[in-house]
Amino acid sequence: MPGPISSFTPTESLSERRLADPSLPVPPRKKRVIVTGGSGKLGRWVVREMVDHGWEVFNVDVVPPAPSEASVKARYIYTDLKDYGSVLGLLTDVDSGWRGVDAIIHLAAIPAPARAPNHVVFHTNITQTYNILEAARVAGVKNIALASSETVFGIPLHPHPPESFPLTEEPERPESSYSLAKLLGEKMSEQFTRWDPELKIVNIRLSNVIAPEDYINFPKWQDDPWQRAWNGFCYIDPRDCAQGFRLALEKPLKGTHVFNIANADTAFTAPTAELVKRVFPNIPYKPDTSDPREGLISIKKARDVLGFDPKYDWQSEVKKLQAGKA
Ligand SMILES: NC(=O)c1ccc[n+]([C@@H]2O[C@H](COP(=O)([O-])OP(=O)(O)OC[C@H]3O[C@@H](n4cnc5c(N)ncnc54)[C@H](O)[C@@H]3O)[C@@H](O)[C@H]2O)c1
């Protein structure tokens, strides 16, 4: 009699028990993760990160992956996350070949304010997050990471300056319908994890995602910090962001958590204290580290709890682009 496989969800255990000959051994399998929005700007890197770290990955999106991702060993499944029935079906019964989901990284959304009327952004994003959390509850998926956003800090920081720098996970000041839906995703997580003490939901407040080819713009901003005042001069490389999402799933936590994920430096060569003095002269700034160029979104908690360690700084990436190596 095969022993239980702890990574199987109750849903899969039930269906496997029904289908399989109990006298036969259960074949080993990798842990399975659904990445919603896996065809997007960030999602494609999250899919790669999870595949590279031994996960079986299902990219769930309304558009297929770009041709550049053809060699990445992930399966694409079409699902419109606005439809609860489809999301429940996705988590419980796509076909007998892959019943059972161990974890979900939920990225799919309208990814910024002002891409659609406010109510459309709000309803679309909050509905998709609810559908994922509720279907995961029904299917028994206990390990979830959600894309929240730096906008929860009050972006644009000019003219909505924070009380102090660096920005920790404390501020809750949405200034758009997009950001309101992100904050409510964090609040929903608190209630879903209160209902189920075994559940983990990690909300990643991620900074502005920079596609690797776009680092070429950074040198042009250097004389004008106002170009990036709106988000405190911060950015996140999608590969580092993907590392943050993977660590969020791999860390044995329970309950709801919020982590800032940004790069360690700012988008400028000037010292951070100078940038603050020039653009936010009345905002107190107490650095986290001795790095004179540290970012104004604090990643201390992600470093301490998750072991997050960003690897892709913009200056090195610009050098690679200039040398034609990126
Ligand atoms: N890009 C940034 O700077 C940034 C910053 C902070 C937070 N975020 C968040 O990160 C996440 C990913 O952002 P991105 O920049 O990769 O966005 P993106 O638009 O490039 O990717 C989003 C993906 O989700 C898919 N999608 C949208 N609606 C869907 C639906 N109903 N069903 C299934 N798939 C659907 C899209 O087809 C797309 O491939 C989003 O939640 C966004 O709000 C992004």
Side-chain angles (χ1 to χ4, degrees):
M1 185 75 175
I5 294 182
S6 61
S7 66
F8 277 19
T9 65
T11 305
E12 183 173 52
S13 305
L14 285 175
S15 57
E16 295 256 322
R17 233 178 281 142
R18 196 177 68 234
L19 296 172
D21 176 345
S23 65
L24 295 175
V26 177
R29 70 156 172 82
K30 295 176 174 179
K31 289 245 188 186
R32 293 173 181 156
V33 61
I34 280 181
V35 178
T36 77
S39 301
K41 180 180 182 182
L42 170 61
R44 68 191 61 190
W45 296 102
V46 174
V47 167
R48 285 180 183 214
E49 171 83 6
M50 300 309 286
V51 169
D52 288 349
H53 286 80
W55 288 72
E56 188 177 1
V57 182
F58 299 86
N59 168 18
V60 170
D61 204 305
V62 284
V63 301
S68 60
E69 308 307 296
S71 64
V72 179
K73 295 202 178 321
R75 268 175 64 180
Y76 168 68
I77 299 178
Y78 172 90
T79 305
D80 184 347
L81 300 173
K82 293 196 291 299
D83 175 38
Y84 175 72
S86 297
V87 182
L88 187 61
L90 170 79
L91 294 188
T92 54
D93 220 8
V94 169
D95 67 36
S96 58
W98 76 284
R99 280 183 180 137
V101 174
D102 299 296
I104 301 169
I105 296 176
H106 175 48
L107 308 176
I110 297 174
R115 301 262 176 114
N118 288 349
H119 71 286
V120 175
V121 175
F122 180 83
H123 285 302
T124 303
N125 289 358
I126 202 73
T127 300
Q128 293 184 176
T129 301
Y130 172 78
N131 287 348
I132 282 286
L133 294 184
E134 174 62 5
R137 185 187 68 77
V138 173
V141 183
K142 309 277 186 193
N143 193 3
I144 302 173
L146 304 179
S148 184
S149 157
E150 63 178 4
T151 57
V152 174
F153 300 134
I155 281 172
L157 298 181
H158 210 282
H160 305 288
E163 284 177 15
S164 62
F165 285 122
L167 294 156
T168 65
E169 284 79 359
E170 294 295 311
E172 293 181 350
R173 303 185 323 140
E175 301 290 350
S176 63
S177 296
Y178 166 82
S179 185
L180 187 60
K182 290 296 188 189
L183 178 61
L184 293 182
E186 295 181 7
K187 297 296 169 193
M188 258 199 286
S189 306
E190 288 171 10
Q191 300 311 313
F192 273 84
T193 53
R194 182 175 63 81
W195 294 341
D196 178 358
E198 293 304 309
L199 175 61
K200 170 176 78 176
I201 308 178
V202 176
N203 289 268
I204 302 279
R205 281 194 193 169
L206 55 128
S207 186
N208 181 212
V209 177
I210 305 293
E213 63 275 16
D214 290 340
Y215 286 115
I216 207 69
N217 295 317
F218 279 47
K220 299 177 206 157
W221 301 330
Q222 296 307 310
D223 295 332
D224 184 9
W226 287 100
Q227 296 266 359
R228 304 285 300 177
W230 59 276
N231 81 336
F233 324 110
C234 294
Y235 71 104
I236 180 68
D237 184 284
R239 295 159 290 191
D240 285 328
C241 196
Q243 180 204 137
F245 275 99
R246 176 178 59 78
L247 293 170
L249 291 193
E250 291 179 349
K251 193 81 189 169
L253 301 168
K254 289 197 168 82
T256 295
H257 302 267
V258 177
F259 292 101
N260 293 345
I261 291 289
N263 277 76
D265 56 350
T266 73
F268 292 84
T269 54
T272 307
E274 262 180 42
L275 297 170
V276 173
K277 207 168 155 195
R278 196 160 150 199
V279 176
F280 300 100
N282 300 324
I283 309 301
Y285 170 43
K286 190 165 168 260
D288 265 354
T289 68
S290 57
D291 176 359
R293 291 187 52 250
E294 78 169 12
L296 287 174
I297 293 178
S298 171
I299 53 171
K300 185 174 184 319
K301 186 177 170 193
R303 283 191 200 273
D304 291 351
V305 179
L306 298 179
F308 176 61
D309 182 18
K311 310 255 186 249
Y312 296 89
D313 68 281
W314 70 267
Q315 288 174 293
S316 309
E317 293 303 302
V318 168
K319 279 185 199 142
K320 282 190 218 161
L321 286 170
Q322 286 167 342
K325 288 188 200 147

